[in-house]
Amino acid sequence: VAAHDGASALAAFSAEGASVDLVAKSVQVVEHQGDAIVHELEEALARTFVTPIDREDLQKLSSQLDDILDLTNGAARGSVLFGVVRPTPAMVTLIEKLVACTVVLKDTLPNLRKHAYSELMTASHALRQLEKEADVVYREAVRGLFSDEKVDAKMLLREKQVLEDLEKAIDRCEYVADTLANLAVKHG
């Protein structure tokens, strides 16, 4: 899953001495690859008469996975744009949660082909739990930014934007969880 490759590339930002520019470039490369996969899938869906799962569901799932990658790329680009040269502890935690979510997706999506719908439900629950944990981290980080008198407006805007993109990427993982659960109910 390209979303996992993008999250893994972003995770390199947490490494000591990592260059935010290089990390952003590697995430951008993965994002372009993901866009190519989405385009390929859309063309294949247009040519295929019968699909094992409804075309609309496949397209929705593809779009949601692409959104995760787009927001991951947004967090990387935002770090460059706003001058976030080192991720904050909250950013690191959110990146870890994003990677964990995309691992679940990477391990789970092959179950669609196998019609292993109970595994989809299990993954859906795991993704929802990770998203809830990420929400707590995000809210605490934003609260800290606004309540710390040492944080100036530039720092607040810089960090809040990156935190927001990470949180939205994880939210999109929850959207995928909902889609997987719907597919499990629909086809299980």
Side-chain angles (χ1 to χ4, degrees), residues 13 20-21 24 73-85 154 157-158 161-162 165:
F13 189 29
V20 67
D21 292 316
N73 188 36
R77 283 193 338 253
S79 294
V80 172
L81 181 67
F82 296 118
V84 178
V85 294
K154 287 194 308 189
L157 291 172
R158 171 186 319 140
Q161 183 61 51
V162 174
D165 283 340

Side-chain angles (χ1 to χ4, degrees), residues 107-123:
D107 293 345
T108 301
L109 289 175
N111 290 313
L112 280 170
R113 185 180 303 266
K114 299 176 200 169
H115 305 284
Y117 298 114
S118 65
E119 283 83 352
L120 298 181
M121 290 301 282
T122 301

Side-chain angles (χ1 to χ4, degrees), residues 1-4 31 34-35 37-38 41-42 45 53 55-73 98 101-102 105 109 112 124 127-128 165 167-183:
V1 175
H4 176 64
E31 195 272 335
D35 286 344
I37 292 168
V38 168
L41 176 69
E42 288 171 346
L45 287 173
I53 296 172
R55 283 187 183 105
E56 296 84 7
D57 291 333
L58 289 171
Q59 192 281 330
K60 179 179 182 180
L61 190 57
S62 170
S63 177
Q64 290 170 334
L65 291 167
D66 186 53
D67 287 347
I68 295 167
L69 190 50
D70 288 344
L71 287 160
T72 302
N73 188 36
L98 178 59
C101 285
T102 61
L105 293 172
L109 289 175
L112 280 170
S124 178
L127 290 167
R128 287 182 179 125
D165 283 340
E167 194 269 339
K168 285 180 182 177
I170 296 166
D171 278 351
R172 292 319 186 276
C173 293
E174 185 180 30
Y175 294 179
V176 173
D178 292 341
T179 299
L180 293 176
N182 286 339
L183 288 170

Side-chain angles (χ1 to χ4, degrees), residues 130-157:
L130 286 165
E131 192 276 335
K132 285 179 186 175
E133 294 167 8
D135 275 349
V136 171
V137 172
Y138 171 75
R139 284 192 302 268
E140 283 300 309
V142 171
R143 185 189 60 73
L145 285 172
F146 280 95
S147 63
D148 187 346
E149 293 178 13
K150 293 179 264 172
V151 173
D152 67 6
K154 287 194 308 189
M155 178 187 263
L156 184 138
L157 291 172

